[in-house]
Amino acid sequence: MPGSQARSRARDRNNILNRPEFLSLNQNPHSSKGGPEQSNTSNSGPGSGLAGEAPRWPEQDCMQLNPSFGGIAVSSLLAIDISLSKRLGVCVGVRGPAGAPGLRSMISLLALTGHFLPWITGTLICLWRSSTMAGQEVLLNLLLALVLDLMTVAGMQKLVKRRGPWDVPPTFLDYIAMDVYSFPAAHASRAIMVSKFLLTHLVLAVPLRILLYLWAFLVGVSRVLLGKHHLSDVGCGFALGFLHFSLVESVWLDSATCQTLMSIGSLCWTPLL
């Protein structure tokens, strides 16, 4: 009857599965007798003319209708991280605050105190001038911790290859320390690791202990202010520094091993003197 046909057509128009983007969901991919869309897709690719072969559906037909909650949460957190890191990058190039022209220099100097080069040079000089076995033991383990931190962070940065929030090009000192990428923050990892090492093996007054923790925290913040790292990079750098300290403490080299390494090093350097 005309009335039933009209109602049937209205139901077909209101059916959401009849929309163009859902047409692939209405068709049987294993059917050999399909419409023109199926014949078009089955003709694409080598060997598609064989009878009974399943059609190859394009990737655009695979629509993710229900994204996972975890994916949405991670994307939101990354967006917040990038936004906050860009807002905090107040010392990036010409974006430095006009009212405080020396602020960028102070922040750069603070970040330099967490660089690999001053710490490795100072450790080697102190190790060369040290005359006690206890001092040589502590300094040699500190040297091991610095090398471990350098290689681990450089390897992770090479794998992740995450750029900074402002994509600031690396400087000459960054290339020396292999600190080219953003994740994780090498300065933050080194500062926390050195702070924990010194606090564990040196007897310091309470104000100095507080200042040492404050210095490590400010070194990580300075890298965000300079636009080198995201907030998440610095946080992961702090966690990695704690991990490096725990690892060095677990494989601590005793005095006899350190003296053996010192003697081997002196034999290697004697012909060059």
Side-chain angles (χ1 to χ4, degrees):
M1 297 178 63
S4 60
Q5 293 178 359
R7 286 193 297 269
S8 177
R9 285 195 297 268
R11 282 196 304 268
D12 292 339
R13 286 195 300 269
N14 296 330
N15 190 1
I16 191 173
L17 294 179
N18 289 331
R19 295 182 180 179
E21 59 268 26
F22 295 106
L23 286 179
S24 61
L25 301 178
N26 293 331
Q27 301 187 11
N28 186 8
H30 300 286
S31 176
S32 59
K33 295 180 180 181
E37 298 173 357
Q38 182 176 348
S39 61
N40 290 337
T41 55
S42 62
N43 290 333
S44 59
S48 59
L50 299 178
E53 184 180 356
R56 301 176 183 178
W57 298 95
E59 294 181 358
Q60 53 266 28
D61 283 346
C62 303
M63 302 178 62
Q64 188 176 1
L65 303 179
N66 296 316
S68 62
F69 176 77
I72 295 176
V74 171
S75 300
S76 302
L77 290 177
L78 287 177
I80 294 173
D81 178 36
I82 294 174
S83 178
L84 289 179
S85 301
K86 286 191 173 184
R87 288 178 179 272
L88 291 175
V90 296
C91 298
V92 180
V94 296
R95 296 185 66 254
L103 180 61
R104 177 177 171 80
S105 300
M106 294 176 58
I107 297 298
S108 300
L109 183 61
L110 178 61
L112 184 62
T113 60
H115 194 270
F116 172 77
L117 194 59
W119 282 104
I120 195 69
T121 303
T123 303
L124 289 175
I125 292 175
C126 293
L127 185 62
W128 176 57
R129 297 180 62 88
S130 178
S131 58
T132 62
M133 295 178 62
Q136 291 175 357
E137 178 183 352
V138 173
L139 290 171
L140 196 58
N141 281 276
L142 177 59
L143 181 64
L144 174 64
L146 290 172
V147 174
L148 175 65
D149 180 82
L150 174 70
M151 302 306 295
T152 305
V153 173
M156 292 182 65
Q157 287 188 358
K158 191 67 175 178
L159 287 175
V160 179
K161 293 184 178 181
R162 187 187 188 188
R163 296 291 182 179
W166 290 98
D167 202 9
V168 180
T171 61
F172 176 71
L173 293 177
D174 294 332
Y175 282 111
I176 291 179
M178 294 184 288
D179 188 13
V180 180
Y181 296 100
S182 177
F183 181 88
H187 288 65
S189 174
R190 189 175 304 112
I192 285 293
M193 187 268 297
V194 169
S195 299
K196 287 289 295 180
F197 192 94
L198 296 180
L199 289 171
T200 303
H201 299 284
L202 295 181
V203 180
L204 301 175
V206 175
L208 291 178
R209 299 174 72 88
I210 296 175
L211 286 177
L212 200 55
Y213 272 123
L214 183 62
W215 165 78
F217 174 75
L218 292 178
V219 166
V221 173
S222 66
R223 300 292 288 177
V224 178
L225 297 178
L226 293 172
K228 297 285 189 176
H229 298 284
H230 301 84
L231 289 173
S232 58
D233 303 333
V234 174
C236 292
F238 286 153
L240 196 60
F242 278 109
L243 180 62
H244 288 160
F245 169 75
S246 302
L247 183 59
V248 171
E249 290 293 314
S250 63
V251 296
W252 184 266
L253 302 181
D254 56 4
S255 180
T257 306
C258 292
Q259 292 303 313
T260 303
L261 294 177
M262 292 285 294
S263 61
I264 294 175
S266 62
L267 291 177
C268 293
W269 284 98
T270 300
L272 301 178
L273 297 179

